[in-house]
Amino acid sequence: MILPVYTYGQPVLREKTHDIDADYPGIKQLIADMFETMYQAEGIGLAAPQIGRSIRLLVIDTDALKKSYPECRKFKRVMINPEIVEKSDKTIVQEEGCLSFPGIHEKVERAARIRVRYLNEDFVAQEEILENFAARVVQHEYEHLDGEMLIDHISPIRKQLNKGKLNSIIKGATSCAYQIKPVKK
């Protein structure tokens, strides 16, 4: 089932999320719905707060980017209760977008390499080292779990330049190809 994507201004996007276990109600269906929602919105990652759930769950599928970013080949993950345990000092600045910020793309500095621990969809512990764009996507989605967003990484002048777009997002007056849940409609 395709779910509405919560957009900038929704309080759940600023909440700190909580861990879940295998007894979380409907977890398998929720994961399937998150992937379906992400694909329909033509996204490559989606965190639970973006569909109104304050839990530590994210889904990623970057395979569509494999030609430009070889590390994204077959990079499809479900990450439950993820924890980034290490970040490299080396960083990369690159443009990002976010389904919760339709129409906004900004350059963001992120660690080039991370080590992440998480539970997969079967609640089996995983740990992996990710680099470059795969690391970027995980960091972006992971931040949603701590109530952080793309807008938190841009300068005050860039925020000011995006003020009109941000206000349109809050009011639900922004156009996008997927279903959204703005603050006001």
Side-chain angles (χ1 to χ4, degrees):
M1 176 172 67
I2 295 171
L3 306 167
V5 175
Y6 283 54
T7 55
Y8 176 67
Q10 284 285 2
V12 70
L13 295 175
R14 288 295 188 186
E15 293 175 11
K16 185 131 172 101
T17 58
H18 60 274
D19 286 350
I20 60 172
D21 60 26
D23 294 328
Y24 188 83
I27 186 65
K28 294 289 187 189
Q29 185 60 52
L30 177 61
I31 290 168
D33 291 347
M34 286 178 69
F35 272 116
E36 186 177 1
T37 300
M38 181 186 74
Y39 292 140
Q40 190 274 334
E42 298 183 0
I44 56 172
L46 187 68
Q50 293 179 279
I51 49 117
R53 304 278 183 110
S54 193
I55 59 173
R56 296 190 73 75
L57 167 65
L58 57 90
V59 299
I60 293 171
D61 187 349
T62 61
D63 194 59
L65 304 175
K66 63 188 170 201
K67 286 184 181 174
S68 299
Y69 305 101
E71 69 275 14
C72 291
R73 179 179 305 281
K74 296 184 181 179
F75 186 69
K76 182 177 180 180
R77 302 284 190 278
V78 172
M79 294 185 174
I80 299 169
N81 306 333
E83 178 185 7
I84 295 176
V85 295
E86 185 180 318
K87 289 184 179 183
S88 67
D89 290 334
K90 180 185 174 191
T91 61
I92 299 172
V93 176
Q94 200 165 8
E95 190 172 271
E96 292 183 14
C98 180
L99 296 177
S100 293
F101 291 86
I104 294 179
H105 294 84
E106 289 290 335
K107 290 184 178 179
V108 175
E109 182 177 20
R110 298 210 184 266
R113 183 175 185 265
I114 63 169
R115 179 188 310 266
V116 61
R117 291 184 189 137
Y118 61 94
L119 302 174
N120 69 12
E121 62 272 16
D122 297 315
F123 287 84
V124 175
Q126 307 288 312
E127 182 171 326
E128 60 186 314
I129 294 171
L130 303 171
E131 295 183 338
N132 303 320
F133 205 81
R136 172 173 296 280
V137 175
V138 170
Q139 290 172 83
H140 175 108
E141 299 306 330
Y142 179 86
E143 286 180 347
H144 280 294
L145 305 181
D146 290 333
E148 296 175 31
M149 294 183 280
L150 172 71
I151 202 79
D152 299 332
H153 292 281
I154 64 174
S155 69
I157 189 76
R158 294 300 308 162
K159 285 181 190 171
Q160 188 63 34
L161 291 170
N162 280 296
K163 189 174 183 174
K165 288 181 183 178
L166 294 170
N167 286 334
S168 291
I169 292 169
I170 289 171
K171 293 175 185 170
T174 189
S175 174
C176 61
Y178 51 93
Q179 183 182 357
I180 60 172
K181 184 165 178 70
V183 177
K184 302 174 188 173
K185 193 85 172 161

